[in-house]
Amino acid sequence: MVIVMKLHSSPEQMEKVNSKLRENGFRTQMIQGVKRIVIGAVGDRQAINASQIETMTGVEKVLRIMKPYKMVCREVREEDTIVRVTGAEFGGPRLAVVAGPCAVETKDQLYAAARAVKQAGATVLRGGTYKPRTSPYSFQGLEEEGLHLLAEAGAATGLATVTEVVDEESMQIAARYVDILQIGARNMQNFRLLRLAGRAGKPILLKRGLSATVEEWLMAAEYIVCSGNENVILCERGIRTFETGTRNTLDLSAVALVKTLTHLPVIVDPSHATGKRELVGSMSRAAVAAGADGLIIEVHPDPSVALCDGPQSLDPGQFEGLMNTLRPLAAAVGREV
Ligand code: PEP
Ligand code: MN
């Protein structure tokens, strides 16, 4: 259930409610809204009568959440959650544009990508350093050496950074170098990793699983939030369907739906969704029109020699062109880039 505190309730009143819930076996979490605090409480609803809480001083109302995802649902927080990192925010009026190569390959490649995306207006640099590849013979990423480069390139250009983590070890190491940790589609239901992400101390970019329903995706976010990390950014990256013309099928209706179901920010990855650079521009514009809070786009200084995902990567000129088309479009839907 969710306990909505009155506008001017005191910290002591809130603490009393919190202790009462905990005494009755509930796990609680304070959620600070713009105007008021709500307490999310997960536990056995039979353990306490809601009216016992409702009559406590400082409590405005008690809501029973029927959805399985309790902390991330809109009922808990009407306004959008804004996840902030240095120089970028996800969920605010300004769209977050994350861009960079699929994988960090060399210092020159990464710096060229970083400078180009910065100049075109991106605010976050992406670069895979632990790559979950379908084939064990494909390039697997530079790991910690790549993280060094990513942190350096981010600092040199004033961009925040994001990289994917695939297990406990990579999460611990990457958390020392980057601003945002990505959990990829293939690990969306790695529940142990999700719990660890709850304690990682960094915002988490959570991609939708290859065949995950919206509810499964939100339950994955719930794992992270209920483990202690409210800073979760959802990312729609296309799902498996019968269609083979594109790498995946970009589910834009899920973006609009998820915005009604959760207060968390949602961004779109048109690169992995389509697998084709010629479709990245139109799907980016469609995502912004559908209400996405940002984009994550693969950009490589020379996609023809990319070690990973070249066919879907934009070159710097194409990325700049795309950014120019996004500005008027964002303005038309009340956002800015
Ligand atoms: C990626 O962003 O590099 C990636 C592998 O994405 P996904 O997990 O969506 O396939
Ligand atoms: Mn990729």
Side-chain angles (χ1 to χ4, degrees):
M1 57 189 162
V2 169
I3 294 86
V4 182
M5 300 301 293
K6 285 194 174 135
L7 213 47
H8 300 294
S9 57
S10 67
E12 293 73 33
Q13 289 166 346
M14 202 177 61
E15 198 32 56
K16 274 197 183 153
V17 176
N18 195 26
S19 312
K20 176 110 182 156
L21 288 161
R22 284 178 179 263
E23 279 161 25
N24 283 279
F26 283 84
R27 281 218 320 240
T28 60
Q29 193 163 343
M30 307 292 166
I31 300 165
Q32 176 78 60
V34 174
K35 287 200 221 106
R36 60 180 89 223
I37 287 194
V38 304
I39 304 174
V42 182
D44 176 10
R45 223 186 288 123
Q46 312 300 328
I48 198 165
N49 193 330
S51 62
Q52 280 173 266
I53 301 287
E54 207 145 40
T55 50
M56 291 180 79
T57 337
V59 173
E60 179 160 310
K61 60 183 171 190
V62 176
L63 302 172
R64 282 176 60 188
I65 305 285
M66 306 310 274
K67 302 228 171 73
Y69 40 91
K70 311 285 180 194
M71 304 288 195
V72 307
C73 71
R74 268 280 177 208
E75 287 84 340
V76 162
R77 184 188 275 171
E78 273 171 41
E79 67 266 21
D80 290 342
T81 288
I82 301 181
V83 176
R84 293 187 171 86
V85 290
T86 313
E89 56 179 41
F90 296 76
R94 186 160 180 222
L95 297 174
V97 180
V98 183
C102 180
V104 176
E105 298 169 7
T106 63
K107 183 170 181 173
D108 287 350
Q109 170 249 16
L110 184 65
Y111 271 69
R115 282 192 211 102
V117 302
K118 169 76 181 184
Q119 210 198 327
T123 46
V124 184
L125 176 65
R126 66 151 287 151
T129 49
Y130 297 87
K131 296 302 301 173
R133 303 303 299 280
T134 302
S135 166
Y137 309 115
S138 301
F139 176 59
Q140 305 282 309
L142 296 183
E143 304 193 349
E144 194 160 359
E145 188 195 335
L147 288 169
H148 265 293
L149 295 174
L150 191 57
E152 267 178 30
T157 48
L159 291 163
T161 50
V162 58
T163 207
E164 177 171 355
V165 295
V166 292
D167 55 16
E168 182 166 6
E169 189 196 358
S170 56
M171 181 176 281
Q172 277 170 359
I173 300 173
R176 299 202 289 266
Y177 291 94
V178 296
D179 300 294
I180 303 170
L181 302 171
Q182 176 175 323
I183 294 190
R186 290 154 194 82
N187 271 311
M188 190 210 82
Q189 281 190 316
N190 181 340
F191 299 114
R192 204 179 131 70
L193 192 62
L194 297 174
R195 283 219 186 275
L196 292 168
R199 302 193 293 270
K202 291 278 161 94
I204 306 295
L205 175 57
L206 178 65
K207 293 222 171 171
R208 182 180 181 184
L210 304 171
S211 302
T213 64
V214 163
E215 186 164 304
E216 287 165 341
W217 187 20
L218 292 175
M219 289 307 284
E222 182 82 8
Y223 258 92
I224 302 171
V225 174
C226 84
S227 306
N229 189 350
E230 283 182 42
N231 291 309
V232 177
I233 304 149
L234 298 166
C235 177
E236 161 61 37
R237 46 78 72 207
I239 50 171
R240 280 271 163 92
T241 67
F242 53 80
E243 183 54 66
T244 54
T246 46
R247 183 174 177 180
N248 292 286
T249 296
L250 179 58
D251 185 5
L252 279 183
S253 57
V255 174
L257 175 64
V258 161
K259 290 295 293 178
T260 70
L261 297 176
T262 180
H263 51 85
L264 295 175
V266 188
I267 67 168
V268 167
D269 176 345
S271 308
H272 291 91
T274 63
K276 293 187 150 96
R277 83 167 58 83
E278 58 276 24
L279 303 182
V280 167
S282 49
M283 289 305 97
S284 298
R285 291 184 286 277
V288 171
D293 296 302
L295 296 162
I296 176 166
I297 298 172
E298 287 187 339
V299 179
H300 193 287
D302 181 359
S304 69
V305 297
L307 293 181
C308 186
D309 287 348
Q312 68 194 33
S313 300
L314 302 185
D315 68 26
Q318 289 161 341
F319 180 66
E320 192 184 5
L322 166 58
M323 289 297 280
N324 291 338
T325 68
L326 286 178
R327 288 190 184 92
L329 187 77
V333 292
R335 311 291 285 260
E336 52 190 279
V337 183

